Amino acid sequence: EAGVTQFPSHSVIEKGQTVTLRCDPISGHDNLYWYRRVMGKEIKFLLHFVKESKQDESGMPNNRFLAERTGGTYSTLKVQPAELEDSGVYFCASSPGGWLVEKLFFGSGTQLSVL
Amino acid sequence: AQSVTQLDSQVPVFEEAPVELRCNYSSSVSVYLFWYVQYPNQGLQLLLKYLSGSTLVKSINGFEAEFNKSQTSFHLRKPSVHISDTAEYFCAVNAGGTSYGKLTFGQGTILTVHP
């Protein structure tokens, strides 16, 4: 069974540019989460999808970030325009459906560097 | 709101020595507790969890953690570490009543096992 896959693994862009991160969850997982770790800090929750609907987006830092989940399958996280403080590792995680989530399956992350 | 403090950012230890990684949390509601581990170039993996029942929980590779409600702690221990345990360890909590996939993480502890 394939795990959670994230593309790209690394991205280096200049301030003001646009970047789109992609996450392919484990097939059949209804729950999809985005987390971010800024260097030296803790991993922070960004948002949660249940199928194609945003269940909780309380962690999204501002309106430069747009997350979508087409047809309840893969998800994209777009940053436009990127700022220096957006640098960090963006993790995607998924879990089967249902309210009780005992375990998250994480991808390896996308390392984003904004110069 | 809840918060998690991992008291040690780095823990160096020799192979076969015991280790304890400390985790304290604060929350105004009941919580569920997790330890995740990230090996180099991989995503986070669930190591163990406390949801209810016995306060001592164990992993398949010899780690254990004990939920101490009075001290609001969930320290991770292993009596004898191996080189392969070298990784970054994250303590995380989820407030009861919210989606269990929305986790609050500590800042991580890098465990380095030396031969």
Side-chain angles (χ1 to χ4, degrees):
Chain A
E1 178 184 83
V4 177
T5 307
Q6 293 188 243
F7 303 98
S9 57
H10 295 82
S11 180
V12 180
I13 61 172
E14 293 188 353
K15 176 183 173 181
Q17 290 185 322
T18 298
V19 63
T20 301
L21 314 181
R22 172 168 170 148
C23 170
D24 286 75
I26 292 173
S27 178
H29 281 192
D30 286 343
N31 290 308
L32 187 148
Y33 305 83
W34 284 98
Y35 284 82
R36 176 175 75 170
R37 188 183 194 190
V38 172
M39 190 166 57
K41 301 287 185 77
E42 66 273 21
I43 300 169
K44 285 195 171 181
F45 168 84
L46 296 179
L47 86 158
H48 170 207
F49 283 100
V50 177
K51 297 185 180 179
E52 67 277 4
S53 300
K54 292 176 185 175
Q55 178 73 20
D56 182 345
E57 52 184 329
S58 60
M60 294 289 266
N62 51 61
N63 60 10
R64 293 185 295 103
F65 288 76
L66 174 64
E68 295 179 322
R69 189 178 183 191
T70 307
T73 56
Y74 70 92
S75 174
T76 57
L77 181 64
K78 181 192 290 187
V79 185
Q80 179 182 29
E83 299 289 344
L84 299 179
E85 64 265 26
D86 300 332
S87 295
V89 181
Y90 290 77
F91 292 103
C92 175
S94 71
S95 69
W99 189 248
L100 177 59
V101 177
E102 296 189 19
K103 177 180 179 180
L104 295 184
F105 295 81
F106 280 85
S108 298
T110 294
Q111 173 76 58
L112 175 64
S113 299
V114 183
L115 306 178
Chain B
Q2 51 275 343
S3 65
V4 179
T5 302
Q6 291 183 241
L7 295 156
D8 305 292
S9 59
Q10 297 191 56
V11 174
V13 64
F14 286 107
E15 193 173 19
E16 297 183 5
V19 71
E20 177 180 77
L21 307 184
R22 296 177 292 169
C23 172
N24 287 91
Y25 68 91
S26 66
S27 177
S28 57
V29 298
S30 61
V31 295
Y32 303 91
L33 297 152
F34 305 83
W35 276 98
Y36 278 82
V37 58
Q38 184 180 25
Y39 299 103
N41 301 315
Q42 296 185 27
L44 280 74
Q45 303 172 32
L46 179 67
L47 185 60
L48 43 76
K49 62 181 183 284
Y50 170 77
L51 300 181
S52 65
S54 172
T55 57
L56 181 65
V57 291
K58 300 183 179 183
S59 73
I60 59 173
N61 59 350
F63 283 94
E64 64 179 37
E66 185 159 21
F67 169 51
N68 189 318
K69 187 175 181 179
S70 62
Q71 297 186 6
T72 60
S73 67
F74 192 54
H75 301 331
L76 181 69
R77 301 183 180 93
K78 189 172 185 179
S80 176
V81 294
H82 302 288
I83 297 288
S84 58
D85 292 325
T86 294
E88 189 162 18
Y89 293 78
F90 297 92
C91 182
V93 304
N94 169 269
T98 65
S99 165
Y100 292 5
K102 182 178 181 180
L103 301 176
T104 299
F105 284 91
Q107 292 189 319
T109 297
I110 297 173
L111 173 64
T112 304
V113 181
H114 298 284

